[in-house]
Amino acid sequence: MPNKSSNAGHVPMRTCIVCRQKKEKKYLLRFVIINKETVIDVSRKIPSRGLYLCDENECIGKSEKWLRKRISRKKM
Protein backbone atom coordinates (compact mmCIF):
# COMPACT_ATOMS: atom_id res chain seq x y z
CA MET A 1 0.00 0.00 0.00
CA PRO A 2 1.56 3.37 -1.07
CA ASN A 3 2.14 6.11 1.46
CA LYS A 4 -0.60 8.74 0.97
CA SER A 5 1.67 11.57 2.12
CA SER A 6 4.29 10.66 -0.50
CA ASN A 7 4.77 12.97 -3.48
CA ALA A 8 5.50 10.05 -5.79
CA GLY A 9 3.63 10.47 -9.03
CA HIS A 10 2.98 14.19 -8.47
CA VAL A 11 3.24 16.26 -11.66
CA PRO A 12 3.76 20.03 -11.10
CA MET A 13 1.27 22.09 -13.11
CA ARG A 14 1.66 25.77 -14.03
CA THR A 15 -0.53 28.27 -15.88
CA CYS A 16 0.55 30.16 -19.01
CA ILE A 17 0.44 33.93 -18.34
CA VAL A 18 -1.11 34.64 -21.75
CA CYS A 19 -3.63 31.91 -22.62
CA ARG A 20 -4.24 30.78 -19.00
CA GLN A 21 -4.03 27.08 -19.93
CA LYS A 22 -2.66 24.73 -17.29
CA LYS A 23 0.14 22.48 -18.47
CA GLU A 24 2.91 20.42 -16.97
CA LYS A 25 5.73 22.64 -15.77
CA LYS A 26 8.29 20.93 -18.02
CA TYR A 27 6.37 22.00 -21.17
CA LEU A 28 6.41 25.72 -20.33
CA LEU A 29 9.12 28.38 -20.60
CA ARG A 30 10.01 30.06 -17.27
CA PHE A 31 10.79 33.76 -17.01
CA VAL A 32 11.74 35.93 -14.05
CA ILE A 33 11.81 39.72 -13.75
CA ILE A 34 15.04 41.04 -12.26
CA ASN A 35 15.59 44.83 -12.04
CA LYS A 36 12.75 45.46 -14.53
CA GLU A 37 14.39 43.10 -17.03
CA THR A 38 12.74 39.90 -18.21
CA VAL A 39 15.15 36.97 -18.12
CA ILE A 40 14.59 33.43 -19.41
CA ASP A 41 15.31 30.98 -16.61
CA VAL A 42 16.76 28.03 -18.51
CA SER A 43 17.96 26.27 -15.36
CA ARG A 44 14.59 26.93 -13.62
CA LYS A 45 16.49 27.75 -10.44
CA ILE A 46 16.73 31.55 -10.29
CA PRO A 47 15.37 32.54 -6.87
CA SER A 48 12.55 34.84 -7.91
CA ARG A 49 8.86 34.69 -8.72
CA GLY A 50 8.54 32.76 -11.97
CA LEU A 51 6.26 33.47 -14.90
CA TYR A 52 5.38 30.62 -17.22
CA LEU A 53 4.63 30.82 -20.92
CA CYS A 54 3.48 28.28 -23.52
CA ASP A 55 5.96 27.39 -26.21
CA GLU A 56 3.40 28.33 -28.87
CA ASN A 57 3.84 31.18 -31.36
CA GLU A 58 0.60 32.91 -30.40
CA CYS A 59 1.48 33.09 -26.69
CA ILE A 60 5.07 34.14 -27.37
CA GLY A 61 3.83 36.94 -29.64
CA LYS A 62 1.40 38.26 -27.03
CA SER A 63 3.79 37.90 -24.10
CA GLU A 64 5.71 41.12 -24.77
CA LYS A 65 2.55 43.20 -24.43
CA TRP A 66 1.52 41.28 -21.29
CA LEU A 67 4.93 41.77 -19.65
CA ARG A 68 5.14 45.47 -20.56
CA LYS A 69 1.75 46.08 -18.98
CA ARG A 70 2.66 44.24 -15.76
CA ILE A 71 6.08 45.84 -15.37
CA SER A 72 4.62 49.35 -15.87
CA ARG A 73 2.12 48.67 -13.04
CA LYS A 74 4.97 47.92 -10.64
CA LYS A 75 6.56 51.33 -11.35
CA MET A 76 3.55 53.13 -9.87
Side-chain angles (χ1 to χ4, degrees):
M1 183 167 158
N3 183 353
K4 290 185 180 182
S5 65
S6 172
N7 288 333
H10 172 74
V11 178
M13 301 292 283
R14 298 293 183 265
T15 304
C16 173
I17 60 173
V18 176
C19 68
R20 309 299 295 164
Q21 288 183 6
K22 290 191 179 226
K23 295 186 179 183
E24 288 185 35
K25 183 175 155 181
K26 65 182 177 183
Y27 295 120
L28 297 171
L29 302 172
R30 183 175 191 262
F31 294 86
V32 292
I33 298 173
I34 301 174
N35 298 328
K36 299 179 185 171
E37 296 284 327
T38 306
V39 179
I40 298 174
D41 184 7
V42 178
S43 67
R44 298 176 185 260
K45 295 184 184 204
I46 295 176
S48 182
R49 173 72 78 174
L51 305 167
Y52 291 87
L53 182 66
C54 289
D55 195 11
E56 297 176 18
N57 290 335
E58 186 175 325
C59 289
I60 291 171
K62 292 180 180 179
S63 67
E64 185 179 343
K65 180 181 176 183
W66 189 95
L67 288 167
R68 234 183 301 121
K69 190 163 72 171
R70 295 313 185 273
I71 292 171
S72 67
R73 274 191 202 168
K74 290 185 178 188
K75 291 179 185 176
M76 299 172 135

